Amino acid sequence: MEDLGEVIHVEDSVSPVFEISAIMRSIPGEPIVFFENVEGYDSRVVGNVCATRRRLCLALKTSPERLYRDLIDAMNRPENPRIVNDGPVKEVIEEPKLSRIPVLRHFERDAGPYITSAIVSAKSPDGSVENVSVHRLLVLDDRRMTIRLVPRHLFRLWSMAKEARRDLDVAIAVGVHPAVLLAAASSPPFGVSEYGVANRLLKGGLKLIKCEKVNAYAPAESEMILEGRISHFEEAPEGPFVDITGAYDARRMQPIVEVINVMRREDYIYQALLPGGPEHMLLMGLPREAAIYDAVSKVVPEVRAVNLTMGGCGWLHAVISIRKQSDGDAKNALLAAFAAHPSLKHAIVVDEDVDVFNPSEVEWAIATRFQADEDLVVIRNVRGSTLDPSADIETGLTTKVGLDATAPLMLPKERFERANVPISDRAAKIIESIKLSLGRG
Ligand code: MN
């Protein structure tokens, strides 16, 4: 990334209390940012590591066109990683002292410093199921944190341990390969270890080590591993915390994790991940884009691209471009998309000539190819996202809207054609030099 010019180094002293998050929020183009001097700490902080599609594709050695297929393939055919006895994360093994880690305070009304880039792995009591997922962790003191457990896979493992009146052993790893982070953010069925998905994405390159004091595994190349136990009875208030929508998520009672051992690299780098930022949206949204791509591919001749847009919080709004064969295709695509990603609220289907990543082109398609009386699909009283502040507070129900912004096949094609100008080599050169001079200015 350094060689590609994707990294910025901040040498000035910065505080992990609001300053780093303020700087990360304000940097356009999302370069990777290295904070070399963090006030009061010996460790460096890095942010925006997975903040662009381009960088994620480079890390996964794939292209944007192949990314969804790779991810779906990895989820369908996970492959167990190798277990090794040693790795760089074992350079230092020490007693926990969480106050020595430069954990960021991100937003004004957040409950406190939150670890946001960690993957949490655990096994079922009988050892048959392993799960790896991303959870926010509120640091309470030198050994304790509260963990937000949404009722999904890790919650299920914790409930199993709770029934046996036992704490759940967890490995909390910070600073892992983007493939591991992306796999942990995806949702293969319960029983499939996300490590297996990551290992498949890395073509067999993932190595795990067993924790020293708990029964859980973590990547041997992590920057840092916190070994802990999620209490089966002890809870503490968690939140408010800014989630993917950029709004504050509520305060709830959540279980406490006690950290009992720390492994880390000698000069570990602490990975920051800005809540509600592009990186958060991309990591959460990409696996859903892949699911939408897969589902829509089954009902229309060809899906060109899917974008869970940044304006839609990388979660609630999808734009899907398709090559359609008959006029009902776009509406089938809408239904498939809503089924594939239950949190999806508004979806727009466009033709293959529209760039789903360009909001103006998408709006152009709505302006020129959409008629509400024919092309609008409204589905009332359906389950949506709990993160949507406008959803019904009591029931969580929302209304979903789909827009078919594809040109009708019944009408002449020329009517909807996007006008084009042929570009000669000479014109192309002049355009390039104008762009360059504008860039310098
Ligand atoms: Mn899972």
Side-chain angles (χ1 to χ4, degrees):
M1 290 302 119
E2 293 274 5
D3 291 346
L4 294 170
E6 302 244 341
V7 187
I8 283 178
H9 293 266
V10 176
E11 304 288 344
D12 298 284
S13 179
V14 286
S15 166
V17 181
F18 303 132
E19 279 190 343
I20 290 180
S21 65
I23 294 166
M24 281 175 69
R25 270 189 109 195
S26 68
I27 291 173
E30 301 302 333
I32 293 172
V33 202
F34 247 109
F35 297 94
E36 302 285 349
N37 289 295
V38 184
E39 197 174 67
Y41 297 87
D42 298 329
S43 320
R44 294 180 296 163
V45 172
V46 69
N48 287 344
V49 174
C50 307
T52 66
R53 282 167 204 271
R54 176 182 137 78
R55 280 207 289 278
L56 267 177
C57 287
L58 282 168
L60 270 60
K61 298 194 169 71
T62 188
S63 62
E65 296 76 35
R66 271 186 22 223
L67 183 57
Y68 301 148
R69 286 262 154 258
D70 288 353
L71 194 54
I72 291 160
D73 174 67
M75 283 200 267
N76 289 337
R77 292 191 297 159
E79 192 181 307
N80 284 338
R82 256 189 308 148
I83 310 290
V84 297
N85 291 319
D86 206 3
V89 74
K90 280 196 165 178
E91 281 170 11
V92 177
I93 297 174
E94 62 186 5
E95 282 288 307
K97 197 164 188 222
L98 299 178
S99 60
R100 266 196 307 213
I101 307 171
V103 182
L104 305 193
R105 286 197 60 144
H106 303 95
F107 288 87
E108 219 166 12
R109 287 206 296 112
D110 278 355
Y114 267 97
I115 297 177
T116 50
S117 66
I119 57 152
V120 181
S121 76
K123 289 191 166 218
S124 58
D126 67 359
S128 66
V129 172
E130 182 179 59
N131 192 75
V132 191
S133 41
V134 182
H135 300 264
R136 66 194 197 219
L137 296 146
L138 171 63
V139 178
L140 300 175
D141 55 42
D142 271 337
R143 296 179 71 94
R144 297 179 321 141
M145 306 183 280
T146 42
I147 182 167
R148 169 73 176 132
L149 290 183
V150 180
R152 287 203 281 255
H153 296 166
L154 182 63
F155 180 86
R156 195 157 148 190
L157 294 180
W158 173 69
S159 303
M160 287 165 147
K162 199 172 169 174
E163 230 158 73
R165 289 167 193 267
R166 283 170 51 187
D167 296 340
L168 182 69
D169 286 2
V170 286
I172 300 165
V174 177
V176 296
H177 192 283
V180 179
L181 210 45
L182 186 64
S186 69
S187 271
F190 186 73
V192 173
S193 171
E194 287 78 1
Y195 282 146
V197 176
N199 189 42
R200 181 94 199 172
L201 286 172
L202 291 170
K203 299 178 177 70
L206 180 63
K207 287 174 281 183
L208 300 180
I209 54 162
K210 191 173 187 302
C211 286
E212 298 270 300
K213 296 198 172 158
V214 299
N215 183 27
Y217 293 78
E221 292 178 352
S222 308
E223 291 294 318
M224 167 181 271
I225 298 169
L226 310 176
E227 301 182 26
R229 294 193 179 112
I230 306 181
S231 172
H232 68 284
F233 63 91
E234 218 186 336
E235 296 187 341
E238 191 279 329
F241 173 84
V242 168
D243 213 310
I244 199 165
T245 60
Y248 286 96
D249 195 13
R251 195 175 164 97
R252 304 174 184 86
M253 292 302 282
Q254 291 289 295
I256 285 180
V257 192
E258 171 149 29
V259 181
I260 57 172
N261 193 43
V262 174
M263 291 192 255
R264 62 172 172 89
R265 295 184 188 228
E266 179 116 41
D267 296 311
Y268 78 90
I269 302 162
Y270 178 77
Q271 187 179 0
L273 205 154
L274 183 69
E279 185 176 25
H280 185 187
M281 294 180 192
L282 202 55
L283 286 168
M284 251 175 96
L286 245 167
R288 305 302 159 156
E289 287 178 355
I292 292 171
Y293 177 91
D294 194 37
V296 178
S297 294
K298 286 172 182 151
V299 297
V300 304
E302 193 190 334
V303 181
R304 271 294 155 84
V306 180
N307 182 20
L308 285 172
T309 65
M310 294 282 163
C313 315
W315 196 243
L316 301 174
H317 289 179
V319 184
I320 304 154
S321 65
I322 62 166
R323 188 172 57 76
K324 73 175 191 181
Q325 219 153 41
S326 50
D327 270 331
D329 282 348
K331 284 198 180 111
N332 280 353
L334 288 168
L335 295 177
F338 284 127
H341 176 35
S343 292
L344 187 61
K345 186 178 173 188
H346 299 144
I348 304 167
V349 177
V350 295
D351 291 302
E352 69 218 82
D353 61 338
V354 174
D355 178 4
V356 299
F357 297 104
N358 183 335
S360 290
E361 278 195 29
V362 175
E363 191 178 347
W364 174 85
I366 296 170
T368 61
R369 297 177 179 179
F370 170 79
Q371 287 296 318
D373 61 341
E374 292 276 324
D375 303 324
L376 185 73
V377 179
V378 179
I379 310 163
R380 285 171 217 277
N381 295 323
V382 272
R383 192 172 68 80
S385 170
T386 55
L387 295 170
D388 174 4
S390 71
D392 188 281
I393 291 172
E394 309 241 303
T395 62
L397 296 179
T398 61
T399 298
K400 305 201 177 204
V401 170
L403 281 75
D404 172 0
T406 60
L409 294 173
M410 315 286 288
L411 295 170
K413 227 179 162 184
E414 308 79 63
R415 203 161 140 179
F416 299 98
E417 187 187 327
R418 295 184 54 198
N420 191 31
V421 180
I423 302 175
S424 67
D425 286 351
R426 194 162 64 176
K429 268 188 200 141
I430 296 168
I431 294 166
E432 198 53 39
S433 74
I434 292 174
K435 277 188 180 164
L436 272 174
S437 70
L438 285 175
R440 267 188 227 113

